[in-house]
Amino acid sequence: MAKNEDSQDSLTIRSMTRAEADLIVDWAANEGWNPGLGDADCFYPVDRAGFLIGLLDGKPIASISVPNYDDNFGFLGFYIVHPDFRGKGYGLQIWKAGMAHLGERTVGLDGVVDQQANYEKSGFKLAHRNIRYGGKVELDRGEVEGVHHLSKFKLDDIVAYDRAFFNAPRGNFVTCWLNPAKRKSKVLEVDGKITGYGVIRPCRKGYKIGPLFADDEIGADSLMRALAAEADDGEIFIDPPEPNKAAIALAERYGLKPVFETARMYKGEAPDLPLTRTFGITTFELG
């Protein structure tokens, strides 16, 4: 139990239950972050002890997720204080508890831009921006050459391809993320080799593509068309890293417009990830 610096009230901070994980996804939706409908199913098992909730008189008022992927890397997200309790020091309390859980690991986050200065005070440094693009994509439906349904491939092979794009092993997460009952996945194959894959999922508003990884821009374009065809004419959102100019061009080529942005920041040594092959990050919440 932690004592609020500006109040006599006490904030209880503990690992959240699975039901409380759904609650903070609702909070994220209220903040305009537009999470996917089944995201918590895959987020929560990564590190159950790393999903923290702060309670005041038994009522949830603050949250932070700090899952440790391994001994060297963790990711910070869902840092939210209920609007009725902001400005009272509760956010700092749960932040400190989250950072304690992460320990000495390198930590990544995708933070809203207006909080960037606060993150810098805690030792985070800007790596790049992610620009969310959104809108409706109009294209001809049909098969896209080289792009196949997930069922053609072994999950272990897709997990192996994904490994280059993240700073830690995340095989269990990727396997969950590829659940065909919750999301549609497409895999690009050239000469019998996986050269890209992407996932589209329904969100509170429209559909979100993430990740979209490909060895080159042509492959990314093929995956984009195949994934967009799964959106039932709804709005589509994708989060390309700003340094990848080909990814930005891809989003704009299909008529998508910038709607939001985050600051990808790291505390500790920033990983050397293949941004030129990253056309859409997986999630803002877990990296």
Side-chain angles (χ1 to χ4, degrees):
M1 183 174 292
K3 197 73 172 178
N4 186 287
E5 295 175 1
D6 301 324
S7 168
Q8 295 303 307
D9 297 326
S10 296
L11 187 66
T12 300
I13 299 173
R14 60 163 170 77
S15 297
M16 66 182 67
T17 65
R18 176 62 183 80
E20 288 166 340
D22 287 331
L23 173 65
I24 67 164
V25 172
D26 288 341
W27 287 1
N30 292 336
E31 295 294 320
W33 298 350
N34 195 28
L37 298 182
D39 285 2
D41 291 338
C42 297
F43 290 170
Y44 184 67
V46 171
D47 178 6
R48 291 174 174 82
F51 282 76
L52 304 180
I53 195 156
L55 302 102
L56 189 64
D57 297 326
K59 177 182 178 180
I61 67 161
S63 67
I64 196 168
S65 63
V66 282
N68 292 326
Y69 280 93
D70 62 11
D71 291 340
N72 300 307
F73 186 70
F75 203 87
L76 189 154
F78 286 113
Y79 179 41
I80 306 171
V81 176
H82 190 282
D84 293 345
F85 297 92
R86 291 175 182 172
K88 301 178 183 296
Y90 297 121
L92 180 59
Q93 288 183 56
I94 202 162
W95 172 272
K96 289 180 177 179
M99 295 306 294
H101 179 77
L102 290 161
E104 297 302 315
R105 294 170 177 84
T106 294
V107 183
L109 64 79
D110 283 315
V112 293
V113 173
D114 62 4
Q115 288 294 319
Q116 184 175 330
N118 287 332
Y119 297 138
E120 288 176 345
K121 293 176 182 177
S122 294
F124 286 82
K125 295 182 179 180
L126 178 67
H128 58 81
R129 297 189 302 157
N130 296 311
I131 312 296
R132 174 163 294 169
Y133 279 77
K136 289 192 174 183
V137 175
E138 296 183 6
L139 44 74
D140 295 331
R141 299 295 188 259
E143 297 296 321
V144 179
E145 184 177 359
V147 177
H148 305 278
H149 291 287
L150 174 69
S151 58
K152 181 182 176 181
F153 302 87
K154 295 179 180 178
L155 285 177
D156 286 348
D157 291 339
I158 301 172
V159 169
Y161 182 82
D162 178 89
R163 182 65 185 89
F165 296 87
F166 200 68
N167 201 37
R170 58 173 184 175
N172 290 339
F173 170 81
V174 172
T175 299
C176 179
W177 203 244
L178 294 172
N179 182 347
K182 298 292 182 69
R183 300 164 192 84
K184 301 296 184 182
S185 304
K186 303 291 183 180
V187 183
L188 184 66
E189 184 183 44
V190 177
D191 296 330
K193 178 184 176 183
I194 293 175
T195 59
Y197 89 98
V199 179
I200 188 168
R201 70 194 194 278
C203 294
R204 301 301 176 93
K205 178 182 179 182
Y207 295 78
K208 197 175 294 180
I209 294 175
L212 178 53
F213 300 147
D215 288 357
D216 55 44
E217 184 177 2
I218 294 173
D221 187 279
S222 296
L223 285 166
M224 180 78 170
R225 285 184 281 126
L227 292 165
E230 300 286 351
D232 299 324
D233 296 319
E235 284 190 280
I236 292 173
F237 300 90
I238 188 169
D239 303 318
E242 191 268 341
N244 186 344
K245 302 305 180 185
I248 300 297
L250 175 64
E252 294 177 345
R253 184 157 62 246
Y254 286 97
L256 303 181
K257 305 294 184 183
V259 295
F260 186 64
E261 70 176 80
T262 65
R264 170 60 66 89
M265 306 180 75
Y266 292 99
K267 182 177 183 289
E269 185 177 355
D272 183 17
L273 300 177
L275 294 184
T276 59
R277 297 163 57 205
T278 302
F279 291 81
I281 68 166
T282 307
T283 76
F284 284 157
E285 296 85 4
L286 260 73

